[in-house]
Amino acid sequence: MFFYLSKKIAVPNNVKLKCISWNKDQGFIACGGEDGLLKVLRLETQTDDSKLRGLAAPSNLSMNQNLEGHSGAVQVVTWNEQYQKLTTSDQNGLIIVWMLYKGSWYEEMINNRNKSVVRSMSWNADGQKICIVYEDGAVIVGSVDGNRIWGKDLKGIQLCHVTWSADSKILLFGMANGEIHIYDNQGNFIMKMKLNCLVNVTGAISIAGIHWYHGTEGYVEPDCPCLAICFDNGRCQIMRHENDQNPVLIDTGMYVVGIQWNHIGSVLAVAGSQKVVTQDKDINIVQFYTPFGEHLGTLKVPGKQMCSLSWEGGGLKIALAVDSFIYFANIRPDYKWGYCSNTVVYAYTRPDRPEYCVVFWDTKNNEKYVKYVKSLISITTCGDFCILATKADENHPQEEDEMETFGATFVLVLCNSIGTPLDPKYIDLVPLFVAMTKTHVIAASKEAFYTWQYRVAKKLTALEINQITRSRKEGRERIYHVDDVPSGSVDGVFDYSKAIQGTRDPICAITASDKTLIVGRESGIIQRYSFPNVALIQKYSLDCRACQLSLNCNSSRLAIIDIAGVLTFFDLDTRVTDSTGQQVLGELLKLERKDVWDMKWARDNPDLFAMMEKTRMYVFRNLDPEEPIQTSGYICNFEDLEIKSVLLDEILKNPEHPSKDYIMNFEIRSLRDSRALIEKVGIEDASQFIEDNPHPRLWRLLAEAALQKLDLYTAQQAFVRCKDYQGIKFVKRLGNLQSESMKQAEVIAYFGRFEEAERMYLDMDRRDLAIGLRLKLGDWFRVLQLLKTGSGDADDSLLEQAHNAIGDYFADRQKWLNAVQYYVKGRNQERLAECYYMLEDYEGLENLANSLPENHKLLPWNKAVELAKSHSMKEIGSLLARYASHLLEKNKTLDAIELYRKASYFFDAAKLMYKIADEEAKKRTKPLRVKKLYVLSALLIEQYHEQMKNAQRGKVKGKNSEATSALAGLLEEEVLSTTSRFTDNAWRGAEAYHFFILAQRQLYEGYVDTALKTALHLRDYEDIIPSVEIYSLLALCACASRAFGTCSKAFIKLESLETLSAEQKQQYEDLALEIFTKHTPKDNRKSELNSLLEGGEGKLPTCIATGSPIIEYQFWVCKVCKHYVLAQEISNYNFCPLCHSSVE
């Protein structure tokens, strides 16, 4: 918080002032003084310049009225804001109530007891009642319309102060002897107040002021101290309520004349004087405190004797009555605010809620997001994120992995720019000072500082998510004591005990960049650490106590604003020779500015910074100032030679409705000069100036100016200098265009003047380019308009796309009726169904369903069948059969199978599939395809079996008898016997073709013996594969394996086949004669083939991977098709060789 004197008004004839009061609502200032002086003034800002708002705007007296009526010195002035009344009293006991009429103040009522003098008057919170106390102990409570409600004489008591409680149920009376008595609102004594602040005080004391903040603007914290009582000896106590046994105690160390809370009860101003050892006279000062007794600063005021003070209604100014002058001081509050990615984040209190209301105001889109936060301490921002530091909610249980130390009392909440909490971090250290970089948050108490490497969801990989539980070991969080000397080693201990160790030299400010952390201490020592591996690099000693620290963008220079508002600069890396002749690191620069309350380094230039001095903003380049700009805004951002500033004072007058007018953009001189040169002199001279003062923003400015003049060479050079790759590509594309007008239109579109660009395209008869421009912008309404103005084949699909996009636009906004119209035109049945459903238009849904083609994905049969079953529809089977026969008539057998399968009618689907497999086998198509069809048929049958078993289990559920269940199962199996035979046929078909393919594969790969074994199995499948093919393959394999006995039998079988013609039989006989004249028809390895040749019942199971018989006990069985594979063979397969189900 910072304050400075801004204005001084002299009272005519040097009349000494006694009291002053500022009307909080209408802004009138009443001041009373000797000789019956009573004036009402009003300061108003009158300016035509929209940029000059708030404190920066000149203020003039719009009212300066003398109120005649008092003869003695006016001692008490008090406002009734609700009813626009002023109540005054003088040393003779005369009370006058004044009212406003046609812009002037007039007497409304007069009262005089003629017995004693009025010492204090107080209106209650709603302005309905006034309590007046006289020095002789008389108390009068009256109504706003002048009627007396009650009166009382407190015998033997000298009264000097009175105040109401917020709810008007309690009255506090301050006595001349320093006691405070508590009464109810009817004047009945309750008790004496305990004054803890006067312990060990001797001698006469008097009450300097009592002020009870009524909570009209909310409280900075739940249960916040709000009743301030101060004595002339400087002792002060701030209480939560009148019976508070543990008030906040302050010793101001000054002689006090008056106290007052600001408009939100966050700052208590204590006015008076202080003895200075070096001077004979006392100096006038105003001390500022928080409700918790923390000292915010001291304002020195000239003059002999200060007698009264009063805050302005917005808390931005304070009026001080000194001798015959009124001094005005401007206040620059420490708002809780920040700026991240075009969003201003600010907090304020509301009377209807105990929490802070934190507003995330997106200044680009003018949207705001509100979040309520209890006991907010501070807001810190960096990049796209923001940290809210708060006290922990006592009712909130911390997760065990979240807090290793129990009883964490504070939370750092990481939020994005719309206020969504991303990561809360519970800490046991008071975050008095918080700094933030792109990767870390640093929070410091007076003794220690804590670092946390925050992570954001979009940056988390799956691996990192798993490691988060071990994150503390990885060193994402650390604590360092300010007196420690860390070495930067990774292995640190996360130990909160460091945070509670005391220090003689507390921390007073911190700042951090990506590579440096700076910690300022109250003695003036600045400690520099490397970052993020914290190691103490250097200690520097300064002659001031820092209040705000800030590093420039390359961490070479540190800016320091001290508690007196003096801005100095320190070069961290410069080596200089000190007075002793030794070389030291770091140099304090010569530049010094006073009355500075805000500063911001440029984010892209280490020599540029902007600072706020009183109501002027200065921009410095290499420590040389440019001419100042009148403003009272807080600096948000300094980048691209442009300063963004926000008028927080104005925003917080009406925080619920921030206006874009309160965001100010200022261009610095080099940017203004470059623009003026380009406009007035020309591109060449401007180019030379920018060459001498290079900056990417200036090159971009030159590039854009060159583009407008179609000077493509200069534009390209400038884009190269500002490293704008898109700009370079754009210039190259322009260079390829022949037409000048086309180039002009492209440039206009580049600058965002889309309407103009579109007009130019249409004038050139290039509607396609105009449509392309609108497509890029996503302006589908305009695309549709443009499409309707012309014709073309290519437009039809685009027209459909445009209709659907506009339908989406309306559907997103839940305007379903409008969406329906466009989806109908865009033929988007899926979204149309959704809209009808939302509109509950079932007739529309029915018409849509009828218009859909068969097997459309919007007609899910399985869901329909499920619903039909759950609603006991009996005719579902006949409906399915009718539709299936309709499909079969159209020769859509596979569609009929899919229909049955989706409807869970697996048996019917299997029959159809088996039929297709048989037909395909007869057609002699690819054997692999036939095998797949048989497998599919068999798998459908297996699904049918499973379905029947589940149904059976469901029927006997709840019956205890296992016999019942078994019997039911047997009966069911009897019914299934026909399907069982059918299943075997399906699997037999699959086996036949499987072995047929396997034998040929083995033969071609040269495994002739195994090929023969496999081919011998085919003799069992003559009903599926034609005999001629089986025995031809067998003869071939036997011949290759030199098993001529088997080969001879195969030839005998072939020659006896009735299906062959006489000519074919003759060919086989000739071939047999040729073979067996050379080789005797005997098997060489007969013993191995015996078992296979025997065949018949009781034969061994066959391995479907090799075709060999399984004679070992170790084998694998497929869970789906129940076929076998040798144990040593299955390891080579991921899927079953027959049915292709996965091997588990």
Side-chain angles (χ1 to χ4, degrees), residues 405-474:
T405 56
F406 293 100
T409 42
F410 300 94
V411 197
L412 299 176
V413 185
L414 179 72
C415 297
N416 61 11
S417 60
I418 59 168
T420 309
L422 304 175
D423 193 359
K425 190 59 69 180
Y426 290 84
I427 59 171
D428 209 1
L429 170 133
V430 193
L432 296 175
F433 315 101
V434 183
M436 192 176 179
T437 70
K438 286 174 186 168
T439 54
H440 286 74
V441 173
I442 304 98
S445 65
K446 291 194 170 178
E447 302 80 23
F449 58 92
Y450 156 93
T451 65
W452 161 39
Q453 182 185 348
Y454 64 86
R455 299 188 181 190
V456 183
K458 66 178 180 184
K459 295 177 186 169
L460 280 179
T461 63
L463 183 67
E464 285 173 316
I465 289 167
N466 296 332
Q467 289 174 342
I468 274 181
T469 51
R470 301 195 298 273
S471 60
R472 189 150 287 165
K473 292 172 190 168
E474 294 168 16

Side-chain angles (χ1 to χ4, degrees), residues 45-158:
T45 53
Q46 294 155 332
T47 175
D48 302 326
D49 187 354
S50 63
K51 284 195 173 183
L52 289 180
R53 295 173 185 267
L55 297 179
S59 55
N60 299 311
L61 285 175
S62 63
M63 174 181 271
N64 184 2
Q65 185 185 349
N66 279 318
L67 273 56
E68 306 289 340
H70 288 288
S71 53
V74 177
Q75 292 176 331
V76 187
V77 289
T78 181
W79 288 101
N80 182 340
E81 276 100 353
Q82 287 81 354
Y83 291 92
Q84 286 199 358
K85 291 185 189 295
L86 170 65
T87 317
T88 59
S89 169
D90 62 25
Q91 67 188 58
N92 304 323
L94 175 67
I95 301 170
I96 304 180
V97 179
W98 310 83
M99 65 172 199
L100 185 65
Y101 178 68
K102 290 188 177 176
S104 293
W105 292 92
Y106 295 95
E107 284 181 14
E108 185 185 15
M109 290 179 266
I110 292 183
N111 183 314
N112 196 346
R113 270 179 76 228
N114 294 321
K115 279 187 181 177
S116 179
V117 58
V118 174
R119 280 288 165 217
S120 181
M121 296 185 283
S122 176
W123 288 96
N124 70 345
D126 61 9
Q128 293 277 1
K129 298 179 190 173
I130 188 170
C131 182
I132 303 164
V133 298
Y134 288 84
E135 197 173 53
D136 64 358
V139 179
I140 296 170
V141 174
S143 67
V144 68
D145 50 17
N147 296 321
R148 182 186 175 115
I149 297 172
W150 58 265
K152 196 158 192 173
D153 252 337
L154 306 179
K155 301 292 182 198
I157 291 175
Q158 267 192 298

Side-chain angles (χ1 to χ4, degrees), residues 336-383:
K336 291 176 172 49
W337 80 287
Y339 179 81
C340 57
S341 64
N342 293 314
T343 301
V344 177
V345 187
Y346 58 90
Y348 67 98
T349 55
R350 288 171 54 156
D352 57 335
R353 296 198 69 132
E355 310 100 327
Y356 264 96
C357 179
V358 181
V359 178
F360 291 79
W361 174 39
D362 180 350
T363 57
K364 200 172 183 181
N365 305 315
N366 205 19
E367 292 175 352
K368 63 185 184 69
Y369 309 89
V370 177
K371 186 177 167 61
Y372 291 96
V373 181
K374 273 190 182 174
S375 306
L376 180 70
I377 298 167
S378 65
I379 295 173
T380 312
T381 51
C382 179

Side-chain angles (χ1 to χ4, degrees), residues 767-784:
R767 190 173 64 97
D768 58 324
L769 292 176
I771 290 170
L773 175 69
R774 290 297 172 183
L775 276 173
K776 277 184 198 166
L777 296 172
D779 185 354
W780 290 100
F781 288 96
R782 185 70 187 135
V783 168
L784 196 59

Side-chain angles (χ1 to χ4, degrees), residues 911-981:
K911 280 198 294 191
L912 286 172
M913 184 60 82
Y914 187 77
K915 187 179 169 190
I916 290 178
D918 264 1
E919 284 170 5
E920 288 293 311
K922 283 169 189 164
K923 285 183 197 169
R924 317 305 307 129
T925 51
K926 290 180 183 177
L928 185 60
R929 187 175 180 212
V930 178
K931 174 195 163 181
K932 284 179 181 176
L933 291 167
Y934 276 124
V935 168
L936 273 173
S937 172
L939 288 174
L940 284 166
I941 285 288
E942 294 296 339
Q943 279 183 283
Y944 172 64
H945 282 315
E946 193 61 35
Q947 187 184 35
M948 293 306 289
K949 281 177 192 167
N950 289 341
Q952 200 54 45
R953 276 194 211 108
K955 284 178 196 170
V956 296
K957 221 173 198 181
K959 297 180 185 176
N960 295 329
S961 168
E962 286 185 20
T964 315
S965 173
L967 184 63
L970 286 168
L971 289 169
E972 196 67 42
E973 282 299 314
E974 186 61 36
V975 177
L976 289 176
S977 59
T978 51
T979 65
S980 178
R981 282 191 290 276

Side-chain angles (χ1 to χ4, degrees), residues 889-908:
E889 277 169 28
K890 289 187 170 183
N891 207 18
K892 293 185 177 179
T893 315
L894 286 171
D895 287 350
I897 292 169
E898 186 65 7
L899 168 73
Y900 277 132
R901 196 182 67 76
K902 281 187 175 178
S904 300
Y905 276 58
F906 299 116
F907 188 63
D908 301 273

